[in-house]
Amino acid sequence: MKGSLLALVIGAAAIAVLGTSYALSQFAFVATWAIAGLGLSLILGQAGQISLGHGAFLGIGAYVEGALAVAGWPAWASFPLAVLVAAAAGWVAALPGRRLGGMAFAMSTLAIALLVEEALVRWEGLTRGAAGLAIPPLQLFGQTVSGPLGQFVVSALLLLVAYGCCRRWVGSRLGRAWRAVRDDEVAAAAVGIDCGALRSLAFVLGAGMAGLAGALYAHWLAYLSPEQFGLQLSFELLMLVFIGGVGRLSGAIWGAAVFVALPQLIALATDLLPARWAAASGTETMAFGVLIVLIILLRPGGIAGGRRQGRREAG
Amino acid sequence: MKRLVSLLGACLALFAGSAAAATPGVTADQIRVATIQDLSGPIAILGAPIRDGMVMRFDEENERGGVHGRKLRIAVEDSGYDPKKAVLATRKLLQRDGVFAFLGDLGTPVVMATMPIIVGAGRPHLFPFSPHEATYQPLDPLKFQLFAPYQDYMSAAVQEMVRNNGYKRVGLLYQDDDYGLEVMKGVEAGLARLGQTLVEKTGYKRGATDFASQIARLRAAGCDFVVLATVVRETVGAVSEARKLGWNVDMLVTASGYSAQTHELGGKAMEGLYGVSVMPHPYPAGANERLGEWIERYRTRYDAEPNVWSVMGYNVADVFIRGLRGAGRDLTVASFVHAMENLSTTRDFFGGPAYHFSAQDHLGNRHGRLARIEGGKWVLISDYLK
């Protein structure tokens, strides 16, 4: 409750200070990134799997939606398909998890990220390869969603739906089983939990959410190129979840806010510096790094996780 | 409640009225423009000198009193080569800074993601550093491009090299992205005009450092001429690898490898490498008087040596200023576009090309010229190839 109020205050202040369209544009990207973060939160925070290739699922969702939108498919058909294809890719990515564990499995997800990026370059018929793919604006109920307000409303609504689903899953028997597998796999198996199937399910759901975020991203950016979905994106998403708070779903939203909005706030603050300092290359990157380190030092459990390394829990 | 609604209405009406009345970014005494550069990402090595060149040209104009009495202000945003950040920066520049135009934005993903927003907001999108033809085609009143597309000038350069040196087996090493593909199209088109095809083409991923397999493949194909669609570090890597194996094949690199860093990093192994230059590197030795003065001013100001990217940044700002001058004191987007469509420049003291724009053609220059590394520096060996 306190967190929601704080978020509301921050949101209102952002609109007042930044101006409506700039602030709403930021919120749209925060909500989109939060959806992807929620997916990774299920995989990492609940099922205890490290995924180093989450950006690849986002890329798959983006390209499926992009290609279908270019082909003239309506959003009500293309969005679910983008989610389904990304989820299917998640299932494939989870297959090595039946035999591999820990870092060995994490490495296999890294391979998936590399494979997907390469496939996006090579599959020119669909992706236009390295030349990139221009995406038309989102059409919803006969309306074109191209302005920041529309983008924000659509992203926020889908984030609400995604958050609601995740809350339901982690609060249910499924969530308890995931946490049992995460905390002690042997004990979980001893009480009859199918650990492999549960981990796969976390991957399928998490990848599906990344696919949904990717589908939104494709329209908000209007141009896709394979390099946008490289390893850097996967690591960015991983950091987003850790910074936000790995064990809490709300951490994904906080993490997204930090990753999307903080660099913008730093850019605004840099404008106030003397020209010589502001012009120095890397000032903003350095400030971002320092702030991230401070967040980690002050809140090791993530922004939503409290001052001390908190218990990993749902909610 | 009613009072609140009417107050809100009044504010909105005021805002709408003021927005409609004036040209965004233009006041009685200043013109605000924006540029989105990579100052912290993978091509920050280009972004910083481009920005410095632009700022230097603007300051020079301001010291002379500005354009028609208006001082030029430039808002610089760092995208870090991330299109998501660039989109947000664009919204900021449009809404908070209210800029008149966007100038020399850097990087294809950044340009392609932000250009529709900028043009959609009715602001000119000028001279981006991107080889994508969408930056000037299809014709749009608000899009202007200064830099020759890779396809056109590489086609001309390859034809010139093959004609002069009688090569029979041409190979290509290309970066596996939009840049590499654009070059490949140009090279293939040039060869097709001479009745030849590429005998071998081999790619590498951006960031690669080892070119042993690619060079071995090109050598095995018996290439007598290799075109490099590489950037600086990869150019050095590929040429060094070939020379290490004792393979002294002639090689031609695009304008992306035409940089002083190529011979500085690569040393002696780079001797004899051909390159295509769209804008000459500003060497102090042998510089004409004006160029010499310019180099000195740049050094004093930034405590650094200027490079070809600084010149390009300066050039972008210069052509923009010429457009503003042509638009007159009554500056609007329409008057600026009209002035740009009638703009023709002559060769400048850098030795760069002349630019010509018209209502039917918003690409200022399509040509490059050949250069060769001789005695540790690039020496221009041809004029602009038409």
Side-chain angles (χ1 to χ4, degrees):
Chain A
M1 188 63 198
K2 233 167 77 181
S4 314
L5 261 178
L6 185 62
L8 263 179
V9 170
I10 292 175
I15 289 178
V17 174
L18 304 178
T20 323
S21 85
Y22 178 35
L24 288 177
S25 190
Q26 297 229 25
F27 294 158
F29 275 116
V30 169
T32 306
W33 248 225
I35 294 171
L38 277 174
L40 189 55
S41 211
L42 290 183
I43 297 171
L44 190 65
Q46 300 298 318
Q49 300 281 292
I50 292 180
S51 169
L52 299 177
H54 209 59
F57 306 127
L58 203 137
I60 290 171
Y63 267 98
V64 170
E65 170 59 24
L68 294 177
V70 169
W73 280 49
W76 60 261
S78 58
F79 263 65
L81 202 59
V83 172
L84 277 176
V85 174
W91 180 77
V92 174
L95 284 178
R98 306 218 165 195
R99 287 177 178 271
L100 303 172
M103 281 318 286
F105 175 66
M107 286 299 126
S108 76
T109 61
L110 194 68
I112 292 281
L114 292 170
L115 279 173
V116 168
E117 193 191 354
E118 195 61 29
L120 293 177
V121 175
R122 302 279 166 209
W123 199 355
E124 286 191 29
L126 185 74
T127 66
R128 292 204 57 227
L133 188 64
I135 314 293
L138 177 62
Q139 298 286 337
L140 221 50
F141 309 116
Q143 300 286 318
T144 303
V145 185
S146 60
L149 177 64
Q151 294 179 350
F152 166 67
V153 170
V154 172
S155 311
L157 284 176
L158 286 175
L159 172 61
L160 268 178
V161 172
Y163 188 77
C165 290
C166 287
R167 263 195 89 96
R168 216 181 151 77
W169 291 329
V170 299
S172 70
R173 197 175 158 193
L174 176 64
R176 287 192 294 278
W178 270 333
R179 291 190 291 280
V181 173
R182 178 194 72 194
D183 292 340
D184 191 335
E185 199 173 325
V186 178
V191 293
I193 293 174
D194 183 347
C195 300
L198 271 175
R199 277 202 297 258
S200 281
L201 185 59
F203 245 88
V204 167
L205 295 174
M209 291 214 180
L212 177 62
L216 290 171
Y217 176 79
H219 288 291
W220 301 169
L221 215 65
Y223 173 76
L224 299 176
S225 55
E227 63 203 349
Q228 295 170 33
F229 305 100
L231 286 181
Q232 194 185 337
L233 173 63
S234 294
F235 289 129
E236 202 175 276
L237 290 172
L238 205 58
M239 274 177 73
L240 177 157
V241 173
F242 276 113
I243 298 283
V246 74
R248 287 174 180 270
L249 293 175
S250 56
I253 300 169
W254 285 111
V258 165
F259 259 85
V260 176
L262 194 58
Q264 300 300 312
L265 294 176
I266 292 171
L268 288 175
T270 321
D271 291 346
L272 304 174
L273 289 175
R276 205 175 165 76
W277 290 8
S281 298
T283 308
E284 292 174 17
T285 316
M286 206 159 73
F288 183 65
V290 169
L291 284 172
I292 292 290
V293 171
L294 279 179
I295 292 172
I296 290 168
L297 284 176
L298 296 174
R299 297 185 80 89
I303 299 173
R307 281 202 194 142
R308 305 176 70 193
Q309 182 69 53
R311 266 178 50 224
R312 287 170 171 183
E313 58 193 32
Chain B
M1 185 66 196
K2 252 186 184 171
R3 207 182 285 170
L4 190 73
V5 170
S6 53
L7 187 72
L8 257 175
C11 286
L12 273 175
L14 196 72
F15 174 74
S18 65
T23 305
V26 181
T27 63
D29 57 358
Q30 74 169 30
I31 301 165
R32 277 188 77 82
V33 295
T35 185
I36 302 176
Q37 295 299 325
D38 176 6
L39 302 174
S40 58
I43 50 172
I45 195 166
L46 317 184
I50 289 173
R51 174 202 57 192
D52 292 346
M54 276 199 257
V55 171
M56 182 168 155
R57 180 66 188 93
F58 276 13
D59 284 353
E60 282 176 6
E61 195 65 14
N62 289 340
E63 280 161 23
R64 289 187 208 125
V67 183
H68 297 300
R70 292 189 179 102
K71 297 283 170 72
L72 301 165
R73 304 275 175 259
I74 185 160
V76 184
E77 289 290 329
D78 177 15
S79 72
Y81 206 61
D82 175 356
K84 170 167 53 65
K85 268 174 93 174
V87 164
L88 292 173
T90 305
R91 298 255 187 232
K92 169 182 177 256
L93 292 162
L94 285 172
Q95 193 178 27
R96 279 179 63 85
D97 302 275
V99 294
F100 171 69
F102 283 71
L103 197 58
D105 292 351
L106 175 62
T108 298
V110 163
V111 167
M112 293 303 290
T114 56
M115 191 167 60
I117 302 172
I118 295 164
V119 173
R123 314 293 167 84
H125 186 263
L126 309 170
F127 326 137
F129 290 87
S130 159
H132 210 290
E133 65 176 7
T135 56
Y136 59 94
Q137 265 179 348
L139 192 68
D140 184 299
L142 298 174
K143 295 182 194 169
F144 288 87
Q145 178 60 292
L146 211 57
F147 301 109
Y150 289 106
Q151 271 195 51
D152 286 14
Y153 75 69
M154 283 312 288
S155 166
V158 167
Q159 286 180 67
E160 180 79 2
M161 288 293 290
V162 172
R163 263 194 230 110
N164 290 350
N165 302 306
Y167 304 121
K168 295 279 177 253
R169 301 183 63 79
V170 182
L172 172 73
L173 172 66
Y174 65 98
Q175 184 161 292
D176 204 350
D177 61 7
D178 60 324
Y179 156 57
L181 294 178
E182 286 288 309
V183 176
M184 188 194 294
K185 283 184 210 159
V187 172
E188 284 177 337
L191 288 176
R193 288 191 166 202
L194 302 171
Q196 289 196 27
T197 53
L198 279 170
V199 295
E200 182 64 271
K201 53 187 176 188
T202 173
Y204 67 89
K205 272 188 85 68
R206 183 186 294 170
T209 51
D210 178 24
F211 299 92
S213 65
Q214 287 92 339
I215 292 295
R217 198 166 151 180
L218 290 162
R219 192 180 193 186
C223 296
D224 56 5
F225 178 50
V226 174
V227 180
L228 302 173
T230 49
V231 195
V232 174
R233 198 180 55 188
E234 296 82 2
T235 307
V236 171
V239 178
S240 302
E241 178 67 27
R243 303 302 183 239
K244 199 171 74 189
L245 298 172
W247 190 34
N248 282 318
V249 67
D250 281 350
M251 290 179 158
L252 170 76
V253 69
T254 73
S256 293
Y258 173 84
S259 162
Q261 289 164 320
T262 303
H263 53 72
E264 283 164 10
L265 291 172
K268 278 210 160 150
M270 298 301 115
E271 283 294 310
L273 172 67
Y274 291 95
V276 183
S277 157
V278 177
M279 189 61 104
H281 181 86
Y283 288 105
N288 60 49
E289 194 184 336
R290 285 191 66 195
L291 178 58
E293 284 169 17
W294 183 87
I295 293 171
E296 208 39 56
R297 284 204 307 279
Y298 189 97
R299 277 179 181 156
T300 314
R301 187 187 170 107
Y302 296 114
D303 197 19
E305 286 296 319
N307 59 27
V308 68
W309 298 99
S310 334
V311 174
M312 286 182 171
Y314 189 89
N315 202 231
V316 157
D318 187 64
V319 177
F320 173 64
I321 287 169
R322 286 164 194 262
L324 288 178
R325 282 193 197 135
R329 171 76 192 168
D330 183 20
L331 177 62
T332 60
V333 170
S335 70
F336 175 76
V337 168
H338 182 257
M340 281 303 302
E341 288 181 341
N342 289 289
L343 183 70
S344 279
T345 69
T346 49
R347 302 281 290 271
D348 55 20
F349 61 86
F350 293 111
Y355 299 106
H356 304 287
F357 299 94
S358 71
Q360 290 76 42
D361 188 7
H362 284 196
L363 173 63
N365 166 48
R366 289 185 158 75
H367 313 294
R369 62 201 297 193
L370 288 173
R372 191 165 189 245
I373 296 182
E374 291 171 8
K377 62 183 270 196
W378 286 105
V379 176
L380 296 165
I381 56 169
S382 83
D383 200 353
Y384 284 91
L385 303 167
K386 305 282 176 180

